[in-house]
Amino acid sequence: MPTLLTSPHKSPDKFQEQMLPPLSAIILAGGEGRRMGGADKGLVEYQGKPLVQWVKEALPDHVDQVVISCNRNQAIYAAYGQTVHDLPSHETYAGALAGILAALEVCTHDWVIITPCDLIYYPTHFAKYAWAALSAHQKIDPNTSRIVVAHDGERRQNLCLLVHKSERAGIHEALKTSHAVHHWLESRKAFIIQWHDKQAFINVNDPAQLSALDTK
């Protein structure tokens, strides 16, 4: 597993020199919210703002299109970006991978960052480091997949991604056998970078966890 950096807060010159292309961003908000008592997680408030707003405000400046994959409350989410549903039936939850595919179809840029709607400490600089690492790796292996995924030192963060739109074909294939994002990443041999700041991946799974964050 390649190690890119020891701290996301220190930016070596070689990374600062890399020019990011314009980016689209996909915020995944299509879950059922079962552990949140059925609430639409992206619209649950933390310190006076819905979780989706925390995520949007943490996106890098290179993002000029935000696409929100959501299966309900589209009118509310429309205040934060372009909305898309992953299936024709608005009563069905097809999972994150189907949501990624549906959102990629409407992204206007070739390169896209992807995040769930509950990463309130989303790592703003992830796109810059992911782009630099992949660009360097492609000089060694031009055939590498154009997918970068973060790893926090203990586990791969399967929904913190930089992806090229051409990877849609791989998602189509993956969905024929599995709706699991990790199966798709493994089948495409996604490029992994280390991100040694676990706080960046704190996600809100239930009301108790949200209450605990409020006390910090």
Side-chain angles (χ1 to χ4, degrees):
M1 183 186 304
T3 300
L4 173 59
L5 69 163
T6 56
S7 170
H9 305 295
K10 296 179 181 179
S11 302
D13 289 343
K14 65 179 179 178
F15 295 121
Q16 291 178 338
E17 292 170 0
Q18 293 286 339
M19 289 299 295
L20 269 171
L23 297 170
S24 297
I26 295 172
I27 300 177
L28 298 170
E32 295 177 87
R34 284 176 290 183
R35 285 182 287 181
M36 294 292 289
D40 192 337
K41 188 191 290 188
L43 301 178
V44 172
E45 290 198 353
Y46 170 66
Q47 295 185 357
K49 295 190 295 190
L51 300 184
V52 67
Q53 184 175 343
W54 284 92
V55 175
K56 181 178 180 180
E57 291 176 356
L59 297 175
D61 292 339
H62 280 73
V63 170
D64 63 13
Q65 181 199 21
V66 177
V67 180
I68 300 173
S69 173
C70 55
N71 295 342
R72 49 182 167 159
N73 297 313
Q74 283 91 345
I76 301 175
Y77 279 115
Y80 303 99
Q82 180 180 351
T83 63
V84 64
H85 195 283
D86 54 33
L87 285 175
S89 169
H90 284 230
E91 303 301 322
T92 305
Y93 297 88
L97 189 57
I100 290 171
L101 178 60
L104 282 174
E105 298 288 354
V106 302
C107 287
T108 57
H109 297 302
D110 288 338
W111 287 97
V112 182
I113 54 174
I114 299 171
T115 174
C117 65
D118 59 355
L119 289 191
I120 58 174
Y121 304 127
Y122 176 78
T124 301
H125 300 301
F126 169 74
K128 177 179 69 175
Y129 282 80
W131 174 259
L134 183 63
S135 297
H137 185 71
Q138 285 177 324
K139 294 177 182 177
I140 302 169
D141 180 8
N143 297 316
T144 190
S145 66
R146 290 190 282 185
I147 306 168
V148 186
V149 59
H151 195 290
D152 67 10
E154 291 186 1
R155 60 189 293 264
R156 190 176 60 195
Q157 297 293 329
N158 293 328
L159 296 181
C160 187
L161 304 167
L162 174 70
V163 178
H164 192 273
K165 279 185 67 174
S166 63
E167 294 293 338
R168 287 176 295 174
I171 299 177
H172 274 292
E173 286 302 309
L175 284 170
K176 293 177 181 178
T177 56
S178 171
H179 280 234
V181 173
H182 70 92
H183 287 158
W184 164 60
L185 294 175
E186 288 153 12
S187 69
R188 294 294 297 130
K189 296 181 173 58
F191 186 68
I192 301 170
I193 64 169
Q194 294 278 354
W195 193 270
H196 295 301
D197 179 9
K198 293 180 183 177
Q199 178 172 281
F201 306 109
I202 292 175
N203 61 325
V204 180
N205 287 316
D206 54 56
Q209 188 178 14
L210 191 63
S211 297
L213 286 174
D214 268 323
T215 62
K216 290 184 178 182

